[in-house]
Amino acid sequence: MTSALRRLSLPALLMTLLAGCGSTGPDTYQLGEKHIQVAEGKEFTLSLPVDTAMGEWWYLTSPQPDPDVVRKTDKREESEADDAVGSGSGTDSFGFKAVGPGTTKISLIQCPPGACAGGGDAGGPVTPSPVPSGSPILQEKYRATIHTFTVTVRKP
């Protein structure tokens, strides 16, 4: 074996050995991944970008996912302050556990300031705020948007 080949084979061998040594946490899915497949018993996270400086947040909304298929385990909010005053972004993460085989939908609502109603102390689902008739149509970035994720849980 030439010395050049030996130099190249050692990093390749190390990468192969370390490939299975990554994090063992739940799989994370982003906004564009609308069809998710997970094994029963596994945990997974939906991670969504949020403009915290503008007061934007995400909420689980109705219809709720089938509790025999998935269960919500937690919600985490992470904010990152930018250098400019009044700016910032972050991530809203929703954790779930796949509890039984089947398919269900998870509906999350993206809420710019003033675009949603319900929830909070009043309870109930968070829904888009009603807009009075005759009002001008809001630009898309100011409207509540519901994003639906289809989750299929399979037996391991």
Side-chain angles (χ1 to χ4, degrees), residues 27-92:
D27 290 337
T28 300
Y29 299 92
Q30 307 295 323
L31 185 57
E33 300 174 273
K34 300 291 185 154
H35 299 280
I36 299 167
Q37 291 190 13
V38 294
E40 182 179 4
K42 297 290 277 184
E43 292 188 357
F44 64 97
T45 300
L46 299 177
S47 181
L48 310 157
V50 63
D51 186 352
T52 56
M54 296 303 294
E56 175 183 79
W57 297 105
W58 290 80
Y59 302 94
L60 184 65
T61 190
S62 57
Q64 297 290 313
D66 183 343
D68 293 330
V69 179
V70 299
R71 290 202 184 117
K72 182 179 167 193
T73 57
D74 69 343
K75 179 185 179 192
R76 295 176 310 282
E77 298 170 350
E78 298 173 19
S79 297
E80 301 167 7
D82 291 340
D83 289 338
V85 175
S87 65
S89 61
T91 304
D92 278 355

